[in-house]
Amino acid sequence: MVESRSPQHSVPMVSAKRTAFFVAGLTVLLASYPSTGHAQDDEVGYPITNQTLIESCQRCHAVDEAGRMSRISFLRKTPEGWQTSVRRMAALHNAPLTAEGAREIVRYLSDHQGIAPEELRPALFEVERRLIDHDYEGDSGVEFTCIQCHSMGRVMTQRRTKEEWGLLLATHRGLYPLVDRQAFRRAGPPPTEPGPDGRPPDARHPMDKAIDHLSSVYPLETTDWSAWSATMRSPRLAGTWALSGYEPGKGPVYGTVTISVNPDDDAAFATTSSYTYPESGEVVQRSGQALVYTGYQWRGRSNPGTDSELREVMFVERNQREMSGRWFTGAYDELGPDIELRRVGGDVIVTGVYPRAVARGVPVEVRVFGGGLTAGSVADLDFGPGVTVASVNDPSTDGWLRVWLTIADDASIGPRDLFAFGTLLEDALLVHDGVDRIGVTPETGMARVGGGAFPKGYQTYEAIGFSDGADGESETDDDLTLGRVEVSWSVEEYAATFGDDDVAFIGSMGQDGVFIPAVDGPNPDRVGSRNNVGDAWVIATHTTADGSELRARAHLLVTVPLYMRFEPWREVSR
């Protein structure tokens, strides 16, 4: 199947009695939605040709004369979406599935009823497991209906017929009855007054509005999917790739990835990676395997079974020369780098320079990273006015160049492009005259207590330096973002009540910028035996070159574990 989640906890199996109750309630709800049957859908729906899927699922999903299976043939999803469905069928409906059969079904459905690249791109945050505040650009009322329980990304990564969207909401009501009061049904009598625009009042329930909106915005059949499915094939990715990226708490990362194809499966790949975090000097070696679903959705795992294991979710561009995404770990998928890969071919690739921010008037050693870099001379590298290349070393065994630069005292403040070996890297350097202020990102963070009954959820903070730019004024358009700066970290009370004492119980702040929450569960040492939750300010203090201090802060909320998840903590087994 697709990558499994961290094996920390499992969802309790539902008893046969409770399952029967849920199924009975769901049957009533499904009956309340008018169904026109397959007769209305003669022109839509996808015939199922995979025998494992048919044999495993036809007990509940009827097969019609066109080879379409009820429910299944009338929706499209990402690999994660299909995996969640298969897991739910196994957990709640005792679907007769082996692990091998489940993987085969997920792969078949992802390839034949998947999501086109153009459809997935706006919702990449969902499959890349990014903990962000996403602002849905569609109907805000529909967004409110959906995000009471899950992110809008879960909706954006599906395509269904209108009838299927209705059946999905009926399924929600059957499995999660409280949704009617939370968001699905209108509270109180229907409106009777015209709206602000003078139109008659809309008396529909929120769930009915959602069905109309979603079936219009995310229909089963689209031109994007028709075009992609017609040309879809396994990508040809074997070769060497230049890696660049960024990991919160660690900074930039550069290296190489070598990809080889499985001779028995042209959508399966093996990888070996070597990369470095130049800020700390840490070097990482990885090996792993991956599958590419739907012709472009990379799903992999490296260093499996070790403490350094990472899941890999990447988007393969149509030109098959670029990939990007996220490698991550953690019980809440909160740790790991953003990654970009560029295929190394005949031309030199320059992916970055470290350090990127250089002070004028100060000699500095930088490293130039990329792919295909060769021994060069001073004349091969041009950083622009005010920056002189003093010397260049031969490439290291890891493929980067060590370069010594002299920055003129009167060099203009601002970015510099690097022209090297016939290629251009925009904004490769930032010339500045000192750190004028700092900021802490994210401005608001969240950690989850754990370590007892549930896993901990960590929050990583970074201190970013800023230069006021050429005009010498803060918060103007010419300010320069200099990147990570060295700071000391501390936590101060966020006073929300009299005698607030959260800082004494919520956890500790590491000097690497990672907040480590306290254990979950009641704390007898706290008034009222409360849990170790609360608010705090995270403080960063930076000492400048002249010895003065700069401070910045961000908010931290330490909250309870995520008690309910919409997929098992570990793979369903018998």
Side-chain angles (χ1 to χ4, degrees):
M1 300 179 74
V2 194
E3 303 306 314
S4 62
R5 300 184 63 91
S6 302
Q8 303 290 336
H9 294 80
S10 60
V11 171
M13 295 296 288
V14 180
S15 67
K17 185 174 181 179
R18 291 180 64 195
T19 301
F21 172 78
F22 285 143
V23 171
L26 181 57
T27 301
V28 173
L29 289 168
L30 293 178
S32 69
Y33 281 81
S35 174
T36 56
H38 286 160
Q40 179 182 336
D41 302 320
D42 283 344
E43 301 301 322
V44 300
Y46 305 101
I48 303 298
T49 59
N50 182 273
Q51 288 303 308
T52 301
L53 172 56
I54 295 171
E55 294 170 4
S56 300
C57 303
Q58 65 181 346
R59 182 182 66 178
C60 299
H61 297 273
V63 183
D64 70 4
E65 64 280 358
R68 298 170 301 179
M69 300 184 74
S70 62
R71 302 296 306 271
I72 299 173
S73 289
F74 302 94
L75 62 155
R76 298 188 282 114
K77 296 183 180 182
T78 61
E80 289 80 6
W82 285 118
Q83 176 179 261
T84 299
S85 295
V86 170
R87 284 176 165 177
R88 186 172 64 250
M89 296 301 104
L92 296 184
H93 305 296
N94 201 31
L97 291 169
T98 63
E100 181 180 357
R103 286 190 289 268
E104 179 184 342
I105 290 172
V106 169
R107 188 170 178 184
Y108 170 83
L109 290 171
S110 299
D111 288 343
H112 292 78
Q113 293 171 227
I115 301 294
E118 294 78 10
E119 294 173 326
L120 180 60
R121 201 180 292 276
L124 280 173
F125 68 91
E126 176 72 13
V127 295
E128 292 174 354
R129 311 300 294 171
R130 296 185 184 276
L131 302 179
I132 63 171
D133 291 326
H134 174 258
D135 185 16
Y136 180 57
E137 296 181 355
D139 190 299
S140 59
V142 173
E143 179 185 26
F144 180 84
T145 300
C146 297
I147 66 173
Q148 301 309 300
C149 296
H150 55 72
S151 79
M152 199 62 190
R154 180 159 298 204
V155 180
M156 297 167 65
T157 52
Q158 302 184 39
R159 299 295 185 272
R160 297 172 182 261
T161 62
K162 184 172 184 177
E163 182 177 6
E164 251 306 313
W165 281 115
L167 291 172
L168 176 65
L169 268 69
T171 302
H172 280 59
R173 298 177 69 196
L175 294 178
Y176 314 108
L178 293 180
V179 296
D180 272 4
R181 291 184 176 273
Q182 290 174 327
F184 274 27
R185 294 179 65 84
R186 181 183 57 251
T192 58
E193 299 296 326
D197 57 1
R199 294 183 179 181
D202 189 343
R204 293 175 298 167
H205 284 290
M207 62 183 179
D208 298 319
K209 296 178 183 178
I211 292 171
D212 290 340
H213 173 78
L214 297 176
S215 61
S216 173
V217 177
Y218 303 120
L220 178 67
E221 295 185 337
T222 65
T223 55
D224 286 335
W225 176 247
S226 296
W228 177 252
S229 59
T231 190
M232 184 180 66
R233 71 203 78 175
S234 296
R236 302 187 180 188
L237 304 177
T240 301
W241 298 69
L243 178 153
S244 61
Y246 188 91
E247 181 168 356
K250 292 189 173 183
V253 54
Y254 300 101
T256 58
V257 177
T258 301
I259 300 175
S260 58
V261 64
N262 185 329
D264 299 321
D265 186 344
D266 59 4
F269 302 90
T271 62
T272 57
S273 308
S274 176
Y275 55 87
T276 182
Y277 295 91
E279 181 178 311
S280 64
E282 177 187 3
V283 177
V284 178
Q285 307 288 338
R286 313 192 70 83
S287 61
Q289 295 181 330
L291 281 176
V292 174
Y293 297 86
T294 333
Y296 73 97
Q297 298 188 71
W298 175 287
R299 302 293 186 268
R301 189 184 295 271
S302 60
N303 291 3
T306 70
D307 292 340
S308 62
E309 178 177 323
L310 290 180
R311 291 173 58 191
E312 301 173 354
V313 173
M314 291 193 291
F315 186 108
V316 181
E317 298 292 343
R318 282 178 177 264
N319 60 16
Q320 298 187 20
R321 300 192 63 81
E322 298 170 295
M323 287 188 272
S324 61
R326 186 166 175 259
W327 298 358
F328 52 87
T329 186
Y332 297 95
D333 307 322
E334 73 272 33
L335 306 172
D338 296 336
I339 294 294
E340 294 185 9
L341 300 183
R342 296 170 61 189
R343 189 191 292 271
V344 178
D347 296 330
V348 170
I349 296 174
V350 178
T351 54
V353 176
Y354 185 86
R356 181 168 175 254
V358 295
R360 60 182 179 181
V362 179
V364 64
E365 175 192 313
V366 301
R367 280 172 278 177
V368 178
F369 296 89
L373 297 177
T374 59
S377 66
V378 168
D380 291 321
L381 289 89
D382 182 0
F383 285 90
V387 181
T388 302
V389 179
S391 63
V392 182
N393 268 15
D394 289 342
S396 71
T397 55
D398 294 324
W400 49 266
L401 295 175
R402 189 186 305 272
V403 181
W404 281 265
L405 302 178
T406 300
I407 316 299
D409 294 339
D410 59 351
S412 297
I413 294 174
R416 297 290 193 280
D417 299 338
L418 167 61
F419 185 82
F421 306 106
T423 188
L424 182 73
L425 178 63
E426 295 183 3
D427 297 341
L429 281 184
L430 287 175
V431 178
H432 66 93
D433 59 355
V435 179
D436 296 308
R437 60 185 174 90
I438 65 172
V440 176
T441 60
E443 293 182 354
T444 58
M446 183 175 70
R448 294 184 184 272
V449 294
F454 289 86
K456 292 177 183 284
Y458 301 91
Q459 177 63 61
T460 301
Y461 288 92
E462 294 190 298
I464 306 299
F466 296 89
S467 168
D468 289 341
D471 65 4
E473 298 182 8
S474 295
E475 308 286 354
T476 57
D477 291 341
D478 73 340
D479 287 4
L480 301 176
T481 302
L482 305 179
R484 286 166 48 85
V485 294
E486 185 175 350
V487 297
S488 61
W489 293 100
S490 59
V491 178
E492 295 180 359
E493 194 67 62
Y494 180 93
T497 63
F498 290 107
D500 216 345
D501 61 355
D502 293 343
V503 168
F505 298 100
I506 58 176
S508 61
M509 188 72 191
Q511 289 307 304
D512 57 356
V514 178
F515 182 82
I516 304 172
V519 69
D520 53 329
N523 186 347
D525 295 329
R526 198 169 190 186
V527 175
S529 294
R530 290 177 294 156
N531 217 320
N532 292 317
V533 300
D535 296 86
W537 288 114
V538 172
I539 310 296
T541 304
H542 171 71
T543 303
T544 64
D546 61 8
S548 59
E549 287 190 349
L550 300 174
R551 283 168 54 94
R553 68 182 185 179
H555 181 254
L556 168 66
L557 171 66
V558 181
T559 188
V560 297
L562 189 60
Y563 292 118
M564 182 173 67
R565 301 188 73 146
F566 285 80
E567 61 229 51
W569 289 90
R570 59 168 62 125
E571 292 194 20
V572 175
S573 60
R574 304 203 194 287

